[in-house]
Amino acid sequence: SVPGVTFLGTVGEIVEEGARMGHCIATRAEDALRGRCYLFHIEHHGQRASVEVSAQGEIVDAQGPNNIDSAAAWWGASQLRSWAAGLVSQTIQDSHKRAERRRRAAADPNQLRLPF
C-alpha cells in the first residue's frame, strides 16, 4: 500500500515488467508462482526499478532499467525491507502453528494419518 510500489501478481505482469525494463525479471516468474519470491515494480521521483524479495524476507535484487543502479531501486528496496521482515515473522508463526497441529494430532490417535 505504498505509493510507487506495485506488486507484480501475474505472470503477464512479470513478463511485461521484463520487457518494459529491459532486464531478466521474467526468468523469476516460476519462482514467484511457487512462492519462492515476490516481485515488484517501483516508481520514484520519475525513475523506475524492479525489486525481488525472497520468501525468506531478503532483498535479492533491485535494479533500474537495463540493470543499472538507480535511486528508485534503492528507495524501493528500502520501502520493502520492513514488509520483507514481516514475511520472516509470519513464516515463523506459521511454522509454530503447523508444529502445534502436528503435536495435537500425535496426542490424539484419531487424528493420525495413515501412511498410505
Side-chain angles (χ1 to χ4, degrees):
S1 64
V2 175
V5 176
T6 304
F7 174 66
L8 302 173
T10 67
V11 171
E13 290 172 344
I14 295 167
V15 169
E16 185 178 307
E17 178 79 355
R20 179 178 55 228
M21 298 292 287
H23 56 53
C24 65
I25 196 169
T27 65
R28 308 300 294 145
E30 184 174 345
D31 284 339
L33 281 173
R34 296 184 186 278
R36 295 181 191 142
C37 69
Y38 302 90
L39 304 171
F40 298 87
H41 175 75
I42 307 298
E43 296 272 343
H44 183 67
H45 291 302
Q47 293 186 3
R48 301 173 299 148
S50 303
V51 176
E52 177 184 352
V53 178
S54 75
Q56 292 75 33
E58 298 171 359
I59 304 298
V60 175
D61 202 4
Q63 297 293 323
N66 301 309
N67 290 322
I68 60 168
D69 291 330
S70 72
W74 179 87
W75 179 84
S78 69
Q79 293 299 305
L80 288 165
R81 275 195 181 86
S82 62
W83 176 82
L87 283 177
V88 174
S89 176
Q90 186 62 46
T91 300
I92 291 170
Q93 289 175 16
D94 291 347
S95 177
H96 288 299
K97 288 177 186 175
R98 284 190 303 275
E100 179 62 18
R101 283 194 299 271
R102 285 191 303 270
R103 185 192 65 73
R104 287 183 184 158
D108 181 357
N110 292 324
Q111 297 297 315
L112 292 176
R113 294 186 182 197
L114 297 174
F116 50 88

